[in-house]
Amino acid sequence: MQMVSSSSSRFLVFLFTLILCVSLWYDVSEAKKRRSTKPHILVVIADDYGWNDIGYNSGELSTPVLDSLAASGVKLNNYYVQPLCTPSRASLMTGRYPIRYGLQHFVIQPPFPAGLFLNETTMPQRMRESGYATHAIGKWHLGFFDWEYTPTYRGFDSYLGYWTGGETYYNHVPDGSQYVGYDFHNGTQDLLSANGTYSSTWFAEEADRVVSNYARDSSPDKKPLFMYLAMQTCHEPLMMPPQPNTQRCSHLQDENRDIFCAMTSNLDDTVGAVVKSFQSAGIWEDTLLVFSTDNGAHPQLGGSNWPLRGGKATLWK
């Protein structure tokens, strides 16, 4: 396993290019040696996650899984993402600056008849062309007003998650919005059985299902995995996960920071569960993991970008 990690859209354009180049490099340099040569690729995006929210940068929060992965990989300590959710995700999916297709200013709100232009070629489409099975889990936020804008029409073979930018973690409806509707889906179908369960639980289970299915597939020409895991944590609303690890957060006095800490711990545990799925399937050593945040943290909602200035929705972070 290799890991590229850090935290604030030159990097996203670079990341898109890096992932594609890795898959192509394996094709060229190793194809003559083995039939199945391409690495599995796991891209994990945290939401509203600050520089000072990951353990190896923070004196407050503990993320042992992410710390261990970073220690055995490569840390990118100076790169840039966009200041908000939609622009960052659009850059990642296309390898192009969001100003090229009008998504640079703000996020796609639930009632907006907008989305990533259909003439934009996405990363999963390119990965399909390179021989990968493509799977998306988690937050989309690139449009859903027409089916053609949803994940399984944009290059992903499967999808489980929510289409909008933010919602409650248990009931999966927008929080504090006049636009209320259930938003948790398996492909294009509402997944009503998810109601009442913290989102990361479903995300980890879906990742395990995809990887387990791959491990059980005995066909000689099965495709390597490209998995895009876009976590809900630590986006608002602040909601305590089930069975929080209170020992990691007992020293914190601020209520928002305390809940944010528990959500960060849940994020760390979820990444650990997904890594374990890859290990159990015997494919971890052939996996490239990339971990990033979509933008900086929201300081008023428990996150911290210290010692960097600014935060979410600003060009400083």
Side-chain angles (χ1 to χ4, degrees):
M1 185 282 300
Q2 297 176 350
M3 179 181 179
V4 179
S5 169
S6 188
S7 67
S8 170
S9 128
R10 292 181 298 187
F11 169 71
L12 295 174
V13 176
F14 160 75
L15 175 57
F16 178 93
T17 306
L18 170 65
I19 291 173
L20 293 181
C21 286
V22 166
S23 65
L24 292 174
W25 179 84
Y26 269 78
D27 277 347
V28 173
S29 65
E30 299 293 333
K32 296 180 180 179
K33 298 180 181 178
R34 295 185 299 172
R35 179 177 178 84
S36 178
T37 61
K38 298 175 182 176
H40 305 287
I41 298 175
L42 171 61
V43 177
V44 181
I45 303 297
D47 204 330
D48 294 0
Y49 198 49
W51 178 271
N52 196 39
D53 295 330
I54 194 166
Y56 61 78
N57 282 337
S58 175
E60 291 185 320
L61 306 189
S62 174
T63 55
V65 172
L66 292 173
D67 290 0
S68 176
L69 292 170
S72 62
V74 178
K75 299 177 185 178
L76 302 181
N77 291 320
N78 184 21
Y79 73 82
Y80 300 88
V81 296
Q82 295 290 314
L84 288 166
C85 310
T86 294
S88 273
R89 293 160 204 276
S91 294
L92 177 61
M93 285 294 109
T94 63
R96 282 158 49 84
Y97 293 109
I99 196 172
R100 300 291 186 182
Y101 35 82
L103 292 179
Q104 75 274 23
H105 294 299
F106 197 51
V107 300
I108 297 175
Q109 297 280 26
F112 287 5
L116 179 64
F117 286 174
L118 297 180
N119 62 353
E120 290 291 332
T121 302
T122 65
M123 182 189 296
Q125 289 172 324
R126 291 297 190 196
M127 298 306 291
R128 267 184 177 176
E129 294 173 1
S130 296
Y132 278 81
T134 57
H135 304 277
I137 303 169
K139 178 174 174 175
W140 179 236
H141 213 186
L142 291 175
F144 67 97
F145 77 100
D146 197 340
W147 290 122
E148 291 181 304
Y149 291 84
T150 57
T152 51
Y153 286 79
R154 303 309 300 266
F156 286 108
D157 298 326
S158 72
Y159 173 72
L160 184 143
Y162 60 105
W163 293 331
T164 55
E167 60 180 14
T168 58
Y169 283 72
Y170 288 95
N171 296 331
H172 313 299
V173 296
D175 179 64
S177 171
Q178 60 180 312
Y179 306 102
V180 178
Y182 188 79
D183 183 15
F184 210 87
H185 315 278
N186 186 352
T188 59
Q189 302 298 312
D190 292 340
L191 188 62
L192 298 179
S193 58
N195 188 14
T197 302
Y198 207 79
S199 60
S200 59
T201 302
W202 278 96
F203 297 162
E205 290 179 356
E206 175 65 5
D208 184 69
R209 182 194 69 81
V210 170
V211 174
S212 297
N213 286 345
Y214 174 86
R216 287 193 293 266
D217 185 356
S218 59
S219 60
D221 57 348
K222 64 180 179 181
K223 299 176 180 179
L225 297 177
F226 170 69
M227 182 179 292
Y228 172 57
L229 175 58
M231 296 295 297
Q232 183 173 1
T233 42
C234 298
H235 195 283
E236 61 178 307
L238 296 179
M239 301 191 77
M240 193 71 75
Q243 300 177 335
N245 190 327
T246 56
Q247 290 184 341
R248 292 189 189 178
C249 308
S250 59
H251 59 290
L252 298 171
Q253 302 300 315
D254 180 80
E255 181 179 4
N256 282 352
R257 188 64 170 165
D258 179 59
I259 299 174
F260 189 95
C261 173
M263 295 168 72
T264 295
S265 179
N266 179 266
L267 166 66
D268 191 65
D269 291 343
T270 302
V271 173
V274 174
V275 169
K276 185 177 180 179
S277 294
F278 276 75
Q279 291 172 333
S280 298
I283 61 174
W284 180 240
E285 295 304 318
D286 296 319
T287 298
L288 171 69
L289 167 64
V290 180
F291 177 86
S292 179
T293 180
D294 62 343
N295 47 249
H298 198 317
Q300 286 73 39
L301 293 172
S304 174
N305 304 292
W306 177 263
L308 306 179
R309 71 177 78 178
K312 178 179 180 178
T314 75
L315 296 179
W316 299 103
K317 60 173 70 68

